Amino acid sequence: MGRNPLPTLPRVTTLLSRWRASVRNVLWLDALQAAAISAAPVILAVLAHEPRLGWTAIAAFWACFGDPGGPLRQRAGSMLALGLIGALFCFLASASAAYLWLLLPLTFVCCTFGGLLRVLGPAAAIVGTLLSAGFVVAAELPAPTWRESLSYTLFFLAGAGWAILMTALVWRRRPWKDATHAVAHCYRGLADFADALSGLYSGLTAAGGPQAWSAVSRSQRGALRAALEAARGRIREVQDARPSRRARAHQLLYLLDSAEDSFIALVAVADLLESNAPRWLGRSAGAHLSHAMHRYASVCNAIASTSDVSDAKQALCLRERLTHYAAGLHDLRGGATAYAPDLATVVPVLDRLLHTAQAVMQSLFDEAVTPAAPAQRPRGPGRARQAWRTLRQNLRFESDAFRHALRVGVGATIAVALSKTFAVNHGYWMSLTLVFILQPYFATTWQRTVERVAGSVAGAIGASLLGLLLSSPLSVALAVLPIALGTFAARTIHYALFTFFLTSQFVLVSHIQQPEIYEPMLAALRAFNSVLGGILALLVGFLVWPEKEPRQLAGALTRALERHADYALALVREKSGGDGAHQDIVGLRRLACLSADNAEASLQRLQQNPVHRERNVDTAVNLLNALRRITAAGTVLEIQAALPPGSAAAPALREYGTVLAQALHPRASEPAQSTRALGVPPAVSAADPALAAPLDRIALQARQIRQLRERVQREQPAQ
C-alpha cells in the first residue's frame, strides 16, 4: 500500500521518549500557579454556597489557558481581550438562549469570529477557540431573564479579572524567563538528537535498518525545528518589549543561532551516517563514533542546564565536557579512521559542533566576549493595526483560514441547534467538544477526535471513581487543585492526557454547580456527549468545504524545491567567489528547511486521513528524503573553503550552480539541462576535491528529483 509502518513496540518506545522529553520541559511552577488560580473560585463557591462561582472558576481557567506568556503587556492584553469579549459572548448567548431564531445566527457569527482569530497566530487561535467554547457553554446557562444573564456575565468578568490580577500582577514572571527556557529546550533537543544517533550505530551496521534511521531523523528534525522557531519568537518579544533587557536578548539570539547551526550540522551527521554506515565495518570505529556523539550530548545538556553565568562550578562542568568531547574527536581521527576511511567525511562536521560549543561557552562565561548585536529590524505598524489588516485580508472565501472559520461557525450552530431542539442533557459538552477538536484539516480533526474521545471517557470514569471516594463538597473542591495542575502540565505532553485531566476537572466543577446530580451520571453524560460531538465534528470536517490535501501537498513540495534550488545556487556561487557571497546563506538554508518541514507536515496529514487513497505518496516521501540530503550535503559544503580569487575553476563552478538549481526547480527562462550535465565539472574536481564531494552528493539527489518529477508527469495523463 505504499506505507511500511514501524512495529508497534518501536512506536510505543518513541511515544514514551517524547513524553519523557515533554515532562522534562514542563514549567511546573507556572502550572501550579495557574491551577491555584483556577481552583480558588471553586473552593470559594463551596464555602460561600454560591454555585455561580463555578462559572467564575471556568472563566479563570480559560484566562490562564489563554495566557500567551512573554511580556506583561502582551499577557495582560490577551487575557483582557479574552475576558471582555468572552463576557460579551456570555451575555449574548445566555440572553438569547430561549429564542432559537436569535441564538443560532449569533452562534454562527460569534463562533466564526473565534475561528478566524487563528490567522493572528497560535496564541490568538487558542483565544478564539476559548471564546467559541464560552459562547456555546453560556447558551446552556440557567438564565431565564436578562438580569440572570447579566449576573453570569459579571461572574465571568470576575473570573477573568481574578486571573489577570494574580497571573499578570501578583505572580509576575521575568519577561525573558520563557525565552531563556525556550533556548534551553533547544539545546536539550540537540542532546536528544545526538544521543539517538549514538544509539543507532552499533559499530557494524546501522541498528534497525533504514526505517529506524528515518524515524529518528524525521521526529528529531521536526521537533527541533519547531523548538527553534518558538524560541526565536519568544526572544523577539523580549527584545521589542524590554529595551533594558536588550543585551540579554542579544545573547539569547546568539545562543539560538548557535543551536540552529549545531542542528544543521547534526542533520548532516545523520545523513552521512545513514548513507555510509553499512560500509563502515569495525567495532572500534563504531565505538569511538558512538562515544563522541554521546559526549557531545552531554555538552548540550550542560549548556541547557547553565542557570548562573557567575557560577564557577557550572563553567567547570561545561569546560570538562568540552574537553571530553575534544578527546573523543581526537580518538576518532586516530586509529578509528584507519579502519574506516569513509568516516573521515564526518570529522569536519563534528569539528564544527565542537567549535560552535566552544564559542557558546565563551559567550556565557567570558565577560570579555560579547555577542554582536543583530541588525535592528525596521519598526512595522502597531500590533492592533497589523492584526486588523491580517483579519481584513483573510475575509474572503479563497482564504483557507476563512473557510475554516466558517466551518467552525456552521458546526457550532448545528451542535447548538441539535442540543436545543432535542433538549440534550448537558448538550453544551457536545458543542464544546466540536469547537475544540474541529481543525483546518480533516486528518488532524480525525486524530483530535480519537484522542479527545478516549481522554474524555477515561477522565469521566476517573472522575466518577474520585467522586465516590470524596464525601463532602469541600473535598471535591480541594481535589480540583491537583487535577487542574495535571491539566496545565499535560497540555504540552499529549492531547489525550490533557483531555483526561480536563474532563475530570470539569465534571467535578459541574458537580459543585449542580450537586443534585450524581457524579457517575455527570461523567456518563460527559462521555456520551463527547462522542456525539466528535462524530459531528468528523461529519462537518468531511462535508463542509473539505481541504484538498493532495493539492496542498503538491504546492508545498513545489515551494520546497524552489527554496532548495535558491539555497544550492547561492551556496555554490559563494564557494566560487561570485555574487552569492553577498547573500544570506544561513537565511536561505533556514527557509529551505522550513519549506521541507511544511511539506512533510502536509504529507503526514494526507497519510493520517482515514479516507485517503495512497497515490504518489512514495514519490513525495522520496522527494522529501532527497531534499533533506541536499541540505545535509550543503552543510558539509558550507564548511569547505571557497575557491581562491582568480581561480580558473570559478566560472565552471558558477555555471554548475545554475545547472543544479535548474535541475531542482526548472524555470522557464533557463534552458533545460541534460542528465549528464549534472556531473561535477572536472575543473572543479581538480581544483578542490573537498568541494567536489558534497557537490556530487547534491547532484545525485538532483538526478533523483528529476527522475521523480518525470515519473509524476508520465502518470498524470492516466489519472
Side-chain angles (χ1 to χ4, degrees):
M1 294 295 292
R3 274 187 288 187
N4 192 6
L6 292 174
T8 303
L9 183 58
R11 283 184 174 181
V12 173
T13 303
T14 302
L15 181 62
L16 291 177
S17 64
R18 291 180 183 176
W19 282 29
R20 286 195 296 266
S22 300
V23 170
R24 183 177 57 183
N25 292 283
V26 170
L27 298 176
W28 290 101
L29 180 59
D30 295 338
L32 179 59
Q33 293 173 355
I37 293 171
S38 305
V42 181
I43 299 173
L44 183 60
V46 174
L47 297 177
H49 302 286
E50 177 53 76
R52 289 178 296 182
L53 283 171
W55 185 238
T56 301
I58 294 176
F61 172 79
W62 281 344
C64 293
F65 197 80
D67 180 8
L72 175 61
R73 179 180 299 180
Q74 175 178 315
R75 298 176 62 207
S78 178
M79 297 172 73
L80 183 61
L82 176 61
L84 294 178
I85 301 177
L88 175 63
F89 281 16
C90 173
F91 180 76
L92 293 176
S94 58
S96 62
Y99 311 98
L100 198 61
W101 60 269
L102 179 60
L103 175 63
L104 296 184
L106 286 176
T107 302
F108 175 77
V109 172
C110 293
C111 291
T112 299
F113 171 78
L116 189 60
L117 291 181
R118 179 179 295 269
V119 301
L120 302 182
I126 293 175
V127 172
T129 302
L130 294 175
L131 289 174
S132 301
F135 185 94
V136 297
V137 173
E140 300 285 344
L141 290 175
T145 65
W146 69 269
R147 295 179 183 271
E148 289 293 327
S149 299
L150 183 60
S151 68
Y152 274 104
T153 301
L154 295 178
F155 275 104
F156 187 93
L157 279 175
W162 161 253
I164 294 173
L165 176 67
M166 298 301 295
T167 303
L169 300 179
V170 177
W171 280 329
R172 295 183 60 179
R173 294 182 292 185
R174 293 172 293 179
W176 43 267
K177 177 182 177 182
D178 292 340
T180 304
H181 181 270
V183 174
H185 179 48
C186 294
Y187 278 94
R188 292 191 182 96
L190 291 174
D192 293 339
F193 197 177
D195 268 333
L197 294 177
S198 173
L200 278 175
Y201 194 75
S202 65
L204 295 176
T205 58
Q211 289 182 349
W213 284 92
S214 178
V216 168
S217 179
R218 181 169 60 248
S219 61
Q220 295 287 348
R221 283 179 61 132
L224 262 172
R225 174 56 61 188
L228 289 167
E229 294 304 314
R232 195 173 299 278
R234 288 299 187 190
I235 296 172
R236 292 300 184 189
E237 293 172 355
V238 176
Q239 186 181 25
D240 294 341
R242 293 292 297 271
S244 61
R245 297 288 187 179
R246 189 160 292 166
R248 176 61 172 160
H250 293 166
Q251 185 183 50
L252 289 176
L253 278 174
Y254 176 78
L255 294 174
L256 183 63
D257 290 340
S258 300
E260 184 162 7
D261 185 83
S262 301
F263 165 59
I264 297 299
L266 278 178
V267 171
V269 170
D271 180 68
L272 291 171
L273 291 177
E274 182 182 0
S275 302
N276 296 287
R279 299 199 301 268
W280 289 342
L281 303 180
R283 192 171 299 277
S284 176
H288 283 88
L289 177 62
S290 179
H291 291 164
M293 296 304 301
H294 182 69
R295 290 176 180 181
Y296 176 71
S298 68
V299 170
C300 293
N301 279 324
I303 295 174
S305 300
T306 300
S307 58
D308 186 0
V309 295
S310 62
D311 190 344
K313 292 183 178 180
Q314 294 185 11
L316 179 61
C317 176
L318 180 55
R319 187 175 292 109
E320 288 178 348
R321 295 189 182 187
L322 280 171
T323 302
H324 290 163
Y325 177 51
L329 292 184
H330 181 269
D331 295 338
L332 194 61
R333 290 190 189 90
T337 53
Y339 296 99
D342 291 336
L343 195 60
T345 59
V346 185
V347 174
V349 188
L350 299 179
D351 282 335
R352 177 173 178 169
L353 292 173
L354 175 63
H355 297 154
T356 303
Q358 290 172 339
V360 167
M361 178 177 176
Q362 291 180 352
S363 69
L364 286 174
F365 296 104
D366 190 349
E367 296 181 357
V369 178
T370 303
Q376 293 294 322
R377 297 175 300 165
R379 185 174 295 274
R383 295 176 63 91
R385 183 178 301 178
Q386 181 64 31
W388 169 246
R389 180 184 302 176
T390 303
L391 288 173
R392 188 174 56 187
Q393 290 174 348
N394 283 274
L395 287 176
R396 61 181 189 276
F397 193 76
E398 294 77 12
S399 170
D400 293 340
F402 184 61
R403 288 200 301 271
H404 173 66
L406 292 175
R407 192 181 301 116
V408 173
V410 170
T413 303
I414 294 174
V416 172
L418 291 175
S419 176
K420 290 292 185 180
T421 302
F422 296 99
V424 179
N425 195 350
H426 285 73
Y428 67 87
W429 276 335
M430 176 176 63
S431 308
L432 193 68
T433 299
L434 180 138
V435 167
F436 273 115
I437 67 177
L438 192 58
Q439 301 295 308
Y441 303 99
F442 181 74
T444 50
T445 300
W446 168 263
Q447 183 178 3
R448 278 290 179 92
T449 300
V450 174
E451 293 174 348
R452 187 172 184 91
V453 169
S456 295
V457 172
I461 295 174
S464 300
L465 296 177
L466 187 61
L468 295 175
L469 297 176
L470 301 177
S471 57
S472 65
L474 182 59
S475 62
V476 172
L478 293 175
V480 171
L481 177 59
I483 294 176
L485 174 61
T487 303
F488 282 102
R491 62 184 295 193
T492 58
I493 298 176
H494 196 272
Y495 188 74
L497 185 64
F498 162 74
T499 305
F500 168 79
F501 283 105
L502 180 67
T503 300
S504 302
Q505 178 181 349
F506 268 65
V507 168
L508 295 181
V509 173
S510 298
H511 175 67
I512 296 297
Q513 291 181 290
Q514 297 174 302
E516 68 278 2
I517 300 182
Y518 189 47
E519 291 92 346
M521 179 62 68
L522 272 176
L525 288 172
R526 167 80 191 212
F528 178 72
N529 289 329
S530 295
V531 173
L532 292 180
I535 295 174
L536 182 58
L538 289 176
L539 291 175
V540 171
F542 182 72
L543 298 176
V544 181
W545 303 299
E547 299 298 333
K548 304 299 182 182
E549 194 61 53
R551 185 181 304 171
Q552 294 184 356
L553 175 60
L557 287 173
T558 300
R559 287 188 292 272
L561 288 169
E562 182 180 5
R563 298 298 188 194
H564 282 75
D566 294 340
Y567 167 62
L569 178 61
L571 181 57
V572 172
R573 287 182 175 176
E574 180 192 49
K575 296 306 173 183
S576 67
D579 55 359
H582 303 291
Q583 297 190 30
D584 182 11
I585 301 298
V586 175
L588 290 174
R589 185 220 302 147
R590 179 168 169 261
L591 290 176
C593 293
L594 286 174
S595 64
D597 290 340
N598 292 335
E600 183 172 13
S602 181
L603 174 62
Q604 290 177 351
R605 289 193 298 266
L606 183 64
Q607 292 175 310
Q608 292 169 357
N609 194 324
V611 296
H612 156 63
R613 292 182 180 179
E614 294 182 295
R615 181 181 297 172
N616 290 333
V617 168
D618 290 340
T619 301
V621 171
N622 292 332
L623 275 174
L624 287 171
N625 290 335
L627 292 178
R628 294 191 194 97
R629 293 189 174 97
I630 288 173
T631 307
T635 304
V636 178
L637 186 60
E638 289 182 36
I639 301 174
Q640 311 302 326
L643 291 176
S647 173
L653 184 56
R654 282 194 292 271
E655 182 180 355
Y656 185 61
T658 304
V659 172
L660 287 178
Q662 180 71 4
L664 294 174
H665 183 69
R667 293 175 172 84
S669 59
E670 299 288 342
Q673 302 290 337
S674 65
T675 305
R676 293 182 178 180
L678 290 178
V680 180
V684 177
S685 300
D688 193 344
L691 287 178
L695 285 173
D696 185 65
R697 291 172 59 81
I698 295 176
L700 178 64
Q701 304 308 319
R703 291 190 189 96
Q704 183 179 359
I705 288 174
R706 174 180 290 178
Q707 293 172 0
L708 292 171
R709 186 187 297 112
E710 292 174 353
R711 181 193 305 173
V712 172
Q713 291 174 352
R714 288 194 302 267
E715 293 175 355
Q716 279 180 348
Q719 295 178 1

